Amino acid sequence: WSTFVPVNLLQQFSREANFYFLIIAVLASIPVISPLSPITSIAPLVLVLGVTLIKDGYDDLGRRRADTKLNTSITRVLSPDGRWEDLQWDQLQVGHVVKLMADEPIPADMILIAAQTQADVGHPQNLGGTCQVDTAQLDGETNLKQKRALPETSAMLTPKKLLSGLRGTVRCEPPNGNLSLIHI
């Protein structure tokens, strides 16, 4: 929180309107230039900045609480002995194999190894390796996006297959702002 106020004020003064009213308030406080009291220009600016600061602080606190709740929720990770173990999301490490169920949130970057829909259960020959992902929190789009596992890994649905057949290295580009394209 020690950096919240300065960063927030910097963001607010990067808006042209707020910067304009700051200049007006400074000019109004010089008695030779302005016959009016400086309070008439400074008070509204301070009020707008204060209300925006409080609103942004409240929103930030809500995001922090939601992040904490999500990061302490439980997911299932494949152990070296082939069992699915419960683990908090904030304890997840690079290289963990995670089992997700329908409608579970995904608070980490992941690579889809295999997927099985409800229609696939009981029909092992019908493994498309596809799933639907909701990215509304990332890009604001509410439509589901279809993701497909690689053909080489799409049938690795059991711990035994994952432990025996999954070997390799993933090389990808550094993080960037383009959510729709990733080079692996």
Side-chain angles (χ1 to χ4, degrees), residues 19-41:
F19 187 71
Y20 170 78
F21 285 110
L22 175 66
I23 298 297
I24 296 299
V26 168
L27 293 175
S29 64
I30 301 173
V32 178
I33 297 176
S34 176
L36 300 174
S37 170
I39 295 295
T40 59
S41 297

Side-chain angles (χ1 to χ4, degrees), residues 11-78:
Q11 288 174 343
Q12 288 192 57
F13 283 122
S14 67
R15 297 181 189 128
E16 292 176 7
N18 288 346
F19 187 71
Y20 170 78
F21 285 110
L22 175 66
I23 298 297
I24 296 299
V26 168
L27 293 175
S29 64
I30 301 173
V32 178
I33 297 176
S34 176
L36 300 174
S37 170
I39 295 295
T40 59
S41 297
I42 295 173
L45 178 64
V46 169
L47 179 69
V48 168
L49 294 176
V51 167
T52 304
L53 184 84
I54 291 169
K55 179 195 74 73
D56 290 347
Y58 181 77
D59 291 345
D60 193 50
L61 184 62
R63 280 190 296 274
R64 175 178 274 186
R65 286 180 179 154
D67 285 347
T68 301
K69 181 179 178 183
L70 190 58
N71 288 337
T72 56
S73 63
I74 301 295
T75 189
R76 285 157 307 286
V77 176
L78 186 62

